[in-house]
Amino acid sequence: MTGTLVLAGTPIGDLADAPARLAAELAAADVVAAEDTRRLRRLTQALDVRPAGRVVSYFEGNEVARTPELVEALAAGARVLLVTDAGMPSVSDPGYRLVAAAVERGVRVTAVPGPSAVLTALAVSGLPVDRFCFEGFPPRKAGERLARLREAAGERRTLVYFESPHRLADTLAAMAEAFGGDRRAAVCRELTKTYEEVRRGPLAELAAWAAEGVRGEITVVVAGAPAAGAEAPDAAELARRVAVREEAGERRKEAIAAVAAAAGLPKRAVFDAVVAAKNTVEIEPSPGKGLS
């Protein structure tokens, strides 16, 4: 009889969000594989439970080496519980290799469903949720990041990304370049924690905000590309979008080109809209002088 691999969701912020089954699984497991044993200790203290089995570390640095050891324990009949720092194991966290190896050996794999930063951010973003895709962390190198984002520029589904706080401003700026600065997005920071914040707006606006510095765990949700043949924005909206990009520091020529590309319009049409908006001045009648 082979054992069972249990993937356990853990709180993404508030420890009170821990699944009710998590304490029971921690107490029953023969082996608890944790991404960070110190965080596991804090979690078990909060849940008032003591793991009965062996606790081992399982993180990016030792995932390849430790996977065969855990698979052998599973094959021998052990119940192995895998927990990461926050959310579901294997979703941008260690776990995929272990799941794949366990499945290959015919080991049963199950889960204790729990909190998910992906679904939480998507739900509170205010963006369409009927179809979405999770893109994980964008590449760290600027060139690779921009290339990857450009590949997703035409994606119609809502996009969800993870990002570190110190790279957020650069990533949002690259998203504005790849998707268009007027594309709607939401930056979700410190979800379920004391200083939770959800910032919504056009990508160019969010990039300018993030340039001042942002802290905490970050999830970014970006609206999908508009449908082909969708109704074109009117002149006032085109001018507003150009103004948003200019306020974010972009030159007018580049802003017009980006807005035109995003709207599927000639650059001349956007230029004319900007000129029209600039020349439209509401003239208030001056108070009459010497009139009776």
Side-chain angles (χ1 to χ4, degrees), residues 5-21:
L5 172 61
V6 183
L7 309 176
T10 55
I12 59 176
D14 192 333
L15 293 179
D17 293 335
R21 281 176 48 206

Side-chain angles (χ1 to χ4, degrees), residues 222-276:
V222 184
E231 184 177 347
D234 61 22
E237 175 60 17
L238 291 172
R240 187 195 69 79
R241 294 179 183 183
V242 171
V244 167
R245 297 182 75 100
E246 285 190 280
E247 288 171 8
E250 197 166 350
R251 292 194 303 172
R252 177 168 293 182
K253 182 178 180 181
E254 282 72 23
I256 288 173
V259 170
L265 294 171
K267 286 185 285 187
R268 183 71 196 187
V270 180
F271 174 79
D272 290 343
V274 172
V275 172

Side-chain angles (χ1 to χ4, degrees), residues 12 116-126 160 186 188 191 198 219-221:
I12 59 176
S116 165
V118 175
L119 295 181
T120 303
L122 185 68
V124 303
S125 69
V160 183
C188 305
L191 287 169
V198 180
T219 305
V220 181
V221 186

Side-chain angles (χ1 to χ4, degrees), residues 42 46 55 72 78 167 173 181 209 217 246:
R42 289 197 292 270
V55 175
E72 289 306 315
R167 287 197 299 270
W209 161 75
E217 299 287 335
E246 285 190 280

Side-chain angles (χ1 to χ4, degrees), residues 283-289 291:
I283 303 175
E284 296 288 344
S286 300
K289 294 183 179 180
L291 295 178

Side-chain angles (χ1 to χ4, degrees), residues 136-141 145 161-172 175 187-190 209-210 213-220:
F137 283 91
R140 296 186 179 189
K141 293 183 178 179
R145 180 170 55 229
Y161 294 88
F162 287 160
E163 189 52 286
S164 64
H166 65 275
R167 287 197 299 270
L168 179 63
D170 289 340
T171 293
L172 288 172
M175 286 178 172
V187 176
C188 305
R189 187 180 72 84
E190 295 289 88
W209 161 75
V214 179
R215 294 182 179 181
E217 299 287 335
I218 305 291
T219 305
V220 181

Side-chain angles (χ1 to χ4, degrees), residues 60-78:
E60 186 178 0
N62 72 355
E63 189 177 0
V64 173
R66 181 142 281 168
T67 292
E69 172 191 331
L70 294 175
V71 171
E72 289 306 315
L74 288 163

